[in-house]
Amino acid sequence: MISARVRLAGLPGIVQRHFSNTLHSKRYGINQGTLIKSVTPVSGSLISETKTTLASSQCGQRMYSNIDYLKGDPNLECTAGTMNDVKQTIIKKLGIEVGYTPFVSTREHLVKYVPQSVKDLPPRSMQDSFTSAIIPLTTDKILKDKYVGFMGNVRVGRLMEDMDMFAVWVVHKHILVPDLPEGVSLPYTFVTVLVDKIDFTDLMPTHDADIRLSGHVSWVGRTSIEVVVWMEQKLHGKWRKLTRALFLMAARDATNTKAAFINPLVPANEEEKVIFDGGESRKKRRVQLQKEDLLKTEPNDFEQRMVHELFVKSIDTKSKAFNKRILPPGYVWMEDATMANIVFSHPEDRNAHNKVFGGFLMRNALELSWALAYNFAKRRPKLEHISDISFHHPVDVSSMLNMQAHVIFTDLHYMEIVVLADVYDAVTGQQTTTNSFYYTYSVAERLPKIMPKTYHEAMYYLDGRRKFRYAMGIDTPKVAGSTAPASSETVDPTKSKL
């Protein structure tokens, strides 16, 4: 029985694990050799001259290109200071009072400064929003204790919190309101809508080396903005790639009551144009996936046959009855592959607008998913991808969150886990789903298969299969009117020289 209810008290982050030789790299679209770029800094520019060399990854993972973060000073390792500096700067720019109070100061006086049209805002380039910041684990021992896991590694959930906040900082760097009087706070509220895709390298982050976040805006709509964020760690004097993520943010007015226009993004060169076009493709893909959502449309013919085959496989044919369910060898009931947790949020978990910080939700969901993956596989799992994080509703401070994690699909060494976050009303018993998170984990040994018992579990199974295949680069969905696959692998901002 794998089902359990636990209270997490901090779980370890990622453990490096090499796959066995039986892993079929071709089947999962894994390249054994990939191109990486060696960077030559160019004074005064974020664009670097590059030369291409061939390198291979021991575990078949993507080898990300190096990035030139320097703005004229070859000794400068970050442009925004530490992540604590970033947080304080955001608070200052938004005019938020320091210290918690249940009654948030009104920002209605800032509404008149919100731009009424895109034409009122000057265009920006990707270089305008480029920024970087440090998590100083080597010098701040108090900070180090918050990040370290019990095996000496870094809690990846903590890093997800920082990436979410850093994405907001990148948006701040992009926004420029020319008519805003000096001393007046920025008349915007920025909300995380979703995290499109997070990929991890094979490098295990440690607790005793500095970590650097960097990124820039990669696409802009009228009121929405996409940000690419990289994360590296300095090991043996060199910055090594840990992960990258794509955040989709929404711009709201000062009172967070309606959408607000933001500066358009105009590519400054051909490379920026490729990145921008990738953002357009990802937008079209999201629209297409919304149309194909299993809550709106029925499964396709192949998926319906798959569900029927699973049903027949779990029926006792000797009884001649549909209600006699049996579990075939090598399978686990989906209802038994679950784990839940009640999380209380407090003022220290709030963002600048007195709502629960999105990074706090991301951290708790990731750690719960890791616990379930560990319990299901009976060995320490490796986090491969975070394919989709959606923020449906804001969460108030003091909310009681019911987080439920389910293994909804497995294939060979991989498992797909969904975590649903519900705001729970103890008086009425009503639950409202505020967030959904999808994670892909792997272990060295083959995993048991998942068997759904009900129709709604079968829909979870199909949804998990879709998420898994997208995360692994299988059956990349095509967008109508596009000649290239509309995935983040098509025009990947991680290949940028920014």
mmCIF file with all atom_site columns, all heavy atoms in Angstrom, residues 115-132:
data_model
loop_
_atom_site.group_PDB
_atom_site.id
_atom_site.type_symbol
_atom_site.label_atom_id
_atom_site.label_alt_id
_atom_site.label_comp_id
_atom_site.label_asym_id
_atom_site.label_entity_id
_atom_site.label_seq_id
_atom_site.pdbx_PDB_ins_code
_atom_site.Cartn_x
_atom_site.Cartn_y
_atom_site.Cartn_z
_atom_site.occupancy
_atom_site.B_iso_or_equiv
_atom_site.pdbx_formal_charge
_atom_site.auth_seq_id
_atom_site.auth_comp_id
_atom_site.auth_asym_id
_atom_site.auth_atom_id
_atom_site.pdbx_PDB_model_num
ATOM 1   N N   . PRO A 1 115 ? -0.315 52.929 -18.117 1.00 0.00 ? 115 PRO A N   1
ATOM 2   C CA  . PRO A 1 115 ? -0.423 53.276 -19.544 1.00 0.00 ? 115 PRO A CA  1
ATOM 3   C C   . PRO A 1 115 ? -1.743 52.790 -20.135 1.00 0.00 ? 115 PRO A C   1
ATOM 4   O O   . PRO A 1 115 ? -2.183 51.674 -19.860 1.00 0.00 ? 115 PRO A O   1
ATOM 5   C CB  . PRO A 1 115 ? 0.775  52.554 -20.171 1.00 0.00 ? 115 PRO A CB  1
ATOM 6   C CG  . PRO A 1 115 ? 1.747  52.395 -19.049 1.00 0.00 ? 115 PRO A CG  1
ATOM 7   C CD  . PRO A 1 115 ? 0.922  52.176 -17.823 1.00 0.00 ? 115 PRO A CD  1
ATOM 8   N N   . GLN A 1 116 ? -2.361 53.632 -20.930 1.00 0.00 ? 116 GLN A N   1
ATOM 9   C CA  . GLN A 1 116 ? -3.655 53.318 -21.523 1.00 0.00 ? 116 GLN A CA  1
ATOM 10  C C   . GLN A 1 116 ? -3.558 52.644 -22.891 1.00 0.00 ? 116 GLN A C   1
ATOM 11  O O   . GLN A 1 116 ? -4.556 52.210 -23.444 1.00 0.00 ? 116 GLN A O   1
ATOM 12  C CB  . GLN A 1 116 ? -4.486 54.601 -21.643 1.00 0.00 ? 116 GLN A CB  1
ATOM 13  C CG  . GLN A 1 116 ? -4.750 55.285 -20.316 1.00 0.00 ? 116 GLN A CG  1
ATOM 14  C CD  . GLN A 1 116 ? -5.471 54.382 -19.335 1.00 0.00 ? 116 GLN A CD  1
ATOM 15  O OE1 . GLN A 1 116 ? -6.513 53.819 -19.645 1.00 0.00 ? 116 GLN A OE1 1
ATOM 16  N NE2 . GLN A 1 116 ? -4.900 54.224 -18.134 1.00 0.00 ? 116 GLN A NE2 1
ATOM 17  N N   . SER A 1 117 ? -2.352 52.570 -23.424 1.00 0.00 ? 117 SER A N   1
ATOM 18  C CA  . SER A 1 117 ? -2.160 51.958 -24.737 1.00 0.00 ? 117 SER A CA  1
ATOM 19  C C   . SER A 1 117 ? -0.721 51.495 -24.866 1.00 0.00 ? 117 SER A C   1
ATOM 20  O O   . SER A 1 117 ? 0.188  52.051 -24.224 1.00 0.00 ? 117 SER A O   1
ATOM 21  C CB  . SER A 1 117 ? -2.501 52.953 -25.856 1.00 0.00 ? 117 SER A CB  1
ATOM 22  O OG  . SER A 1 117 ? -2.126 52.443 -27.123 1.00 0.00 ? 117 SER A OG  1
ATOM 23  N N   . VAL A 1 118 ? -0.514 50.495 -25.710 1.00 0.00 ? 118 VAL A N   1
ATOM 24  C CA  . VAL A 1 118 ? 0.843  50.045 -25.994 1.00 0.00 ? 118 VAL A CA  1
ATOM 25  C C   . VAL A 1 118 ? 1.640  51.142 -26.666 1.00 0.00 ? 118 VAL A C   1
ATOM 26  O O   . VAL A 1 118 ? 2.869  51.251 -26.491 1.00 0.00 ? 118 VAL A O   1
ATOM 27  C CB  . VAL A 1 118 ? 0.804  48.776 -26.869 1.00 0.00 ? 118 VAL A CB  1
ATOM 28  C CG1 . VAL A 1 118 ? 2.214  48.349 -27.285 1.00 0.00 ? 118 VAL A CG1 1
ATOM 29  C CG2 . VAL A 1 118 ? 0.117  47.637 -26.143 1.00 0.00 ? 118 VAL A CG2 1
ATOM 30  N N   . LYS A 1 119 ? 0.949  52.007 -27.418 1.00 0.00 ? 119 LYS A N   1
ATOM 31  C CA  . LYS A 1 119 ? 1.620  53.109 -28.117 1.00 0.00 ? 119 LYS A CA  1
ATOM 32  C C   . LYS A 1 119 ? 2.254  54.102 -27.154 1.00 0.00 ? 119 LYS A C   1
ATOM 33  O O   . LYS A 1 119 ? 3.155  54.856 -27.537 1.00 0.00 ? 119 LYS A O   1
ATOM 34  C CB  . LYS A 1 119 ? 0.627  53.824 -29.030 1.00 0.00 ? 119 LYS A CB  1
ATOM 35  C CG  . LYS A 1 119 ? 0.052  52.946 -30.130 1.00 0.00 ? 119 LYS A CG  1
ATOM 36  C CD  . LYS A 1 119 ? -0.938 53.718 -30.983 1.00 0.00 ? 119 LYS A CD  1
ATOM 37  C CE  . LYS A 1 119 ? -1.525 52.828 -32.074 1.00 0.00 ? 119 LYS A CE  1
ATOM 38  N NZ  . LYS A 1 119 ? -2.514 53.566 -32.905 1.00 0.00 ? 119 LYS A NZ  1
ATOM 39  N N   . ASP A 1 120 ? 1.784  54.110 -25.896 1.00 0.00 ? 120 ASP A N   1
ATOM 40  C CA  . ASP A 1 120 ? 2.345  55.023 -24.905 1.00 0.00 ? 120 ASP A CA  1
ATOM 41  C C   . ASP A 1 120 ? 3.668  54.534 -24.329 1.00 0.00 ? 120 ASP A C   1
ATOM 42  O O   . ASP A 1 120 ? 4.303  55.249 -23.536 1.00 0.00 ? 120 ASP A O   1
ATOM 43  C CB  . ASP A 1 120 ? 1.351  55.226 -23.750 1.00 0.00 ? 120 ASP A CB  1
ATOM 44  C CG  . ASP A 1 120 ? 0.038  55.836 -24.221 1.00 0.00 ? 120 ASP A CG  1
ATOM 45  O OD1 . ASP A 1 120 ? 0.053  56.547 -25.245 1.00 0.00 ? 120 ASP A OD1 1
ATOM 46  O OD2 . ASP A 1 120 ? -0.995 55.585 -23.558 1.00 0.00 ? 120 ASP A OD2 1
ATOM 47  N N   . LEU A 1 121 ? 4.072  53.319 -24.713 1.00 0.00 ? 121 LEU A N   1
ATOM 48  C CA  . LEU A 1 121 ? 5.257  52.709 -24.117 1.00 0.00 ? 121 LEU A CA  1
ATOM 49  C C   . LEU A 1 121 ? 6.343  52.488 -25.169 1.00 0.00 ? 121 LEU A C   1
ATOM 50  O O   . LEU A 1 121 ? 6.053  52.013 -26.271 1.00 0.00 ? 121 LEU A O   1
ATOM 51  C CB  . LEU A 1 121 ? 4.887  51.370 -23.477 1.00 0.00 ? 121 LEU A CB  1
ATOM 52  C CG  . LEU A 1 121 ? 3.914  51.458 -22.298 1.00 0.00 ? 121 LEU A CG  1
ATOM 53  C CD1 . LEU A 1 121 ? 3.368  50.074 -21.967 1.00 0.00 ? 121 LEU A CD1 1
ATOM 54  C CD2 . LEU A 1 121 ? 4.606  52.058 -21.091 1.00 0.00 ? 121 LEU A CD2 1
ATOM 55  N N   . PRO A 1 122 ? 7.570  52.825 -24.865 1.00 0.00 ? 122 PRO A N   1
ATOM 56  C CA  . PRO A 1 122 ? 8.659  52.617 -25.834 1.00 0.00 ? 122 PRO A CA  1
ATOM 57  C C   . PRO A 1 122 ? 8.984  51.137 -25.967 1.00 0.00 ? 122 PRO A C   1
ATOM 58  O O   . PRO A 1 122 ? 8.891  50.382 -24.997 1.00 0.00 ? 122 PRO A O   1
ATOM 59  C CB  . PRO A 1 122 ? 9.830  53.382 -25.202 1.00 0.00 ? 122 PRO A CB  1
ATOM 60  C CG  . PRO A 1 122 ? 9.547  53.372 -23.739 1.00 0.00 ? 122 PRO A CG  1
ATOM 61  C CD  . PRO A 1 122 ? 8.050  53.445 -23.615 1.00 0.00 ? 122 PRO A CD  1
ATOM 62  N N   . PRO A 1 123 ? 9.371  50.685 -27.154 1.00 0.00 ? 123 PRO A N   1
ATOM 63  C CA  . PRO A 1 123 ? 9.739  49.274 -27.332 1.00 0.00 ? 123 PRO A CA  1
ATOM 64  C C   . PRO A 1 123 ? 11.040 48.969 -26.602 1.00 0.00 ? 123 PRO A C   1
ATOM 65  O O   . PRO A 1 123 ? 11.878 49.841 -26.361 1.00 0.00 ? 123 PRO A O   1
ATOM 66  C CB  . PRO A 1 123 ? 9.897  49.136 -28.845 1.00 0.00 ? 123 PRO A CB  1
ATOM 67  C CG  . PRO A 1 123 ? 10.196 50.519 -29.327 1.00 0.00 ? 123 PRO A CG  1
ATOM 68  C CD  . PRO A 1 123 ? 9.461  51.447 -28.412 1.00 0.00 ? 123 PRO A CD  1
ATOM 69  N N   . ARG A 1 124 ? 11.201 47.690 -26.249 1.00 0.00 ? 124 ARG A N   1
ATOM 70  C CA  . ARG A 1 124 ? 12.388 47.232 -25.539 1.00 0.00 ? 124 ARG A CA  1
ATOM 71  C C   . ARG A 1 124 ? 12.989 46.037 -26.277 1.00 0.00 ? 124 ARG A C   1
ATOM 72  O O   . ARG A 1 124 ? 12.314 45.355 -27.051 1.00 0.00 ? 124 ARG A O   1
ATOM 73  C CB  . ARG A 1 124 ? 12.025 46.812 -24.115 1.00 0.00 ? 124 ARG A CB  1
ATOM 74  C CG  . ARG A 1 124 ? 11.282 47.886 -23.330 1.00 0.00 ? 124 ARG A CG  1
ATOM 75  C CD  . ARG A 1 124 ? 12.224 48.931 -22.802 1.00 0.00 ? 124 ARG A CD  1
ATOM 76  N NE  . ARG A 1 124 ? 12.863 48.472 -21.566 1.00 0.00 ? 124 ARG A NE  1
ATOM 77  C CZ  . ARG A 1 124 ? 13.910 49.061 -21.019 1.00 0.00 ? 124 ARG A CZ  1
ATOM 78  N NH1 . ARG A 1 124 ? 14.476 50.105 -21.617 1.00 0.00 ? 124 ARG A NH1 1
ATOM 79  N NH2 . ARG A 1 124 ? 14.415 48.614 -19.878 1.00 0.00 ? 124 ARG A NH2 1
ATOM 80  N N   . SER A 1 125 ? 14.263 45.778 -26.025 1.00 0.00 ? 125 SER A N   1
ATOM 81  C CA  . SER A 1 125 ? 14.925 44.606 -26.591 1.00 0.00 ? 125 SER A CA  1
ATOM 82  C C   . SER A 1 125 ? 15.195 43.611 -25.477 1.00 0.00 ? 125 SER A C   1
ATOM 83  O O   . SER A 1 125 ? 15.004 43.906 -24.291 1.00 0.00 ? 125 SER A O   1
ATOM 84  C CB  . SER A 1 125 ? 16.251 45.005 -27.261 1.00 0.00 ? 125 SER A CB  1
ATOM 85  O OG  . SER A 1 125 ? 17.216 45.346 -26.275 1.00 0.00 ? 125 SER A OG  1
ATOM 86  N N   . MET A 1 126 ? 15.652 42.430 -25.835 1.00 0.00 ? 126 MET A N   1
ATOM 87  C CA  . MET A 1 126 ? 15.950 41.409 -24.829 1.00 0.00 ? 126 MET A CA  1
ATOM 88  C C   . MET A 1 126 ? 17.140 41.804 -23.966 1.00 0.00 ? 126 MET A C   1
ATOM 89  O O   . MET A 1 126 ? 17.212 41.459 -22.788 1.00 0.00 ? 126 MET A O   1
ATOM 90  C CB  . MET A 1 126 ? 16.198 40.063 -25.510 1.00 0.00 ? 126 MET A CB  1
ATOM 91  C CG  . MET A 1 126 ? 14.979 39.512 -26.225 1.00 0.00 ? 126 MET A CG  1
ATOM 92  S SD  . MET A 1 126 ? 15.276 37.919 -27.015 1.00 0.00 ? 126 MET A SD  1
ATOM 93  C CE  . MET A 1 126 ? 13.745 37.753 -27.963 1.00 0.00 ? 126 MET A CE  1
ATOM 94  N N   . GLN A 1 127 ? 18.067 42.543 -24.552 1.00 0.00 ? 127 GLN A N   1
ATOM 95  C CA  . GLN A 1 127 ? 19.223 42.985 -23.782 1.00 0.00 ? 127 GLN A CA  1
ATOM 96  C C   . GLN A 1 127 ? 18.832 43.968 -22.682 1.00 0.00 ? 127 GLN A C   1
ATOM 97  O O   . GLN A 1 127 ? 19.504 44.041 -21.650 1.00 0.00 ? 127 GLN A O   1
ATOM 98  C CB  . GLN A 1 127 ? 20.254 43.622 -24.710 1.00 0.00 ? 127 GLN A CB  1
ATOM 99  C CG  . GLN A 1 127 ? 20.804 42.665 -25.761 1.00 0.00 ? 127 GLN A CG  1
ATOM 100 C CD  . GLN A 1 127 ? 21.915 43.280 -26.584 1.00 0.00 ? 127 GLN A CD  1
ATOM 101 O OE1 . GLN A 1 127 ? 22.783 43.944 -26.037 1.00 0.00 ? 127 GLN A OE1 1
ATOM 102 N NE2 . GLN A 1 127 ? 21.884 43.064 -27.885 1.00 0.00 ? 127 GLN A NE2 1
ATOM 103 N N   . ASP A 1 128 ? 17.754 44.711 -22.886 1.00 0.00 ? 128 ASP A N   1
ATOM 104 C CA  . ASP A 1 128 ? 17.313 45.674 -21.872 1.00 0.00 ? 128 ASP A CA  1
ATOM 105 C C   . ASP A 1 128 ? 16.903 44.989 -20.578 1.00 0.00 ? 128 ASP A C   1
ATOM 106 O O   . ASP A 1 128 ? 17.043 45.561 -19.494 1.00 0.00 ? 128 ASP A O   1
ATOM 107 C CB  . ASP A 1 128 ? 16.143 46.512 -22.395 1.00 0.00 ? 128 ASP A CB  1
ATOM 108 C CG  . ASP A 1 128 ? 16.553 47.437 -23.533 1.00 0.00 ? 128 ASP A CG  1
ATOM 109 O OD1 . ASP A 1 128 ? 17.701 47.923 -23.500 1.00 0.00 ? 128 ASP A OD1 1
ATOM 110 O OD2 . ASP A 1 128 ? 15.733 47.672 -24.433 1.00 0.00 ? 128 ASP A OD2 1
ATOM 111 N N   . SER A 1 129 ? 16.368 43.781 -20.684 1.00 0.00 ? 129 SER A N   1
ATOM 112 C CA  . SER A 1 129 ? 15.858 43.095 -19.500 1.00 0.00 ? 129 SER A CA  1
ATOM 113 C C   . SER A 1 129 ? 16.848 42.100 -18.912 1.00 0.00 ? 129 SER A C   1
ATOM 114 O O   . SER A 1 129 ? 16.591 41.510 -17.865 1.00 0.00 ? 129 SER A O   1
ATOM 115 C CB  . SER A 1 129 ? 14.551 42.358 -19.829 1.00 0.00 ? 129 SER A CB  1
ATOM 116 O OG  . SER A 1 129 ? 14.779 41.375 -20.832 1.00 0.00 ? 129 SER A OG  1
ATOM 117 N N   . PHE A 1 130 ? 17.986 41.899 -19.578 1.00 0.00 ? 130 PHE A N   1
ATOM 118 C CA  . PHE A 1 130 ? 18.940 40.917 -19.079 1.00 0.00 ? 130 PHE A CA  1
ATOM 119 C C   . PHE A 1 130 ? 19.455 41.323 -17.702 1.00 0.00 ? 130 PHE A C   1
ATOM 120 O O   . PHE A 1 130 ? 19.828 42.477 -17.468 1.00 0.00 ? 130 PHE A O   1
ATOM 121 C CB  . PHE A 1 130 ? 20.114 40.762 -20.030 1.00 0.00 ? 130 PHE A CB  1
ATOM 122 C CG  . PHE A 1 130 ? 21.132 39.781 -19.512 1.00 0.00 ? 130 PHE A CG  1
ATOM 123 C CD1 . PHE A 1 130 ? 20.974 38.430 -19.756 1.00 0.00 ? 130 PHE A CD1 1
ATOM 124 C CD2 . PHE A 1 130 ? 22.201 40.205 -18.756 1.00 0.00 ? 130 PHE A CD2 1
ATOM 125 C CE1 . PHE A 1 130 ? 21.885 37.516 -19.260 1.00 0.00 ? 130 PHE A CE1 1
ATOM 126 C CE2 . PHE A 1 130 ? 23.120 39.296 -18.251 1.00 0.00 ? 130 PHE A CE2 1
ATOM 127 C CZ  . PHE A 1 130 ? 22.959 37.953 -18.499 1.00 0.00 ? 130 PHE A CZ  1
ATOM 128 N N   . THR A 1 131 ? 19.492 40.377 -16.782 1.00 0.00 ? 131 THR A N   1
ATOM 129 C CA  . THR A 1 131 ? 19.961 40.642 -15.429 1.00 0.00 ? 131 THR A CA  1
ATOM 130 C C   . THR A 1 131 ? 20.407 39.333 -14.791 1.00 0.00 ? 131 THR A C   1
ATOM 131 O O   . THR A 1 131 ? 20.089 38.248 -15.296 1.00 0.00 ? 131 THR A O   1
ATOM 132 C CB  . THR A 1 131 ? 18.865 41.310 -14.578 1.00 0.00 ? 131 THR A CB  1
ATOM 133 O OG1 . THR A 1 131 ? 19.361 41.614 -13.276 1.00 0.00 ? 131 THR A OG1 1
ATOM 134 C CG2 . THR A 1 131 ? 17.650 40.408 -14.442 1.00 0.00 ? 131 THR A CG2 1
ATOM 135 N N   . SER A 1 132 ? 21.147 39.425 -13.711 1.00 0.00 ? 132 SER A N   1
ATOM 136 C CA  . SER A 1 132 ? 21.611 38.239 -13.000 1.00 0.00 ? 132 SER A CA  1
ATOM 137 C C   . SER A 1 132 ? 21.782 38.563 -11.528 1.00 0.00 ? 132 SER A C   1
ATOM 138 O O   . SER A 1 132 ? 21.982 39.715 -11.146 1.00 0.00 ? 132 SER A O   1
ATOM 139 C CB  . SER A 1 132 ? 22.932 37.727 -13.591 1.00 0.00 ? 132 SER A CB  1
ATOM 140 O OG  . SER A 1 132 ? 23.911 38.750 -13.572 1.00 0.00 ? 132 SER A OG  1
#
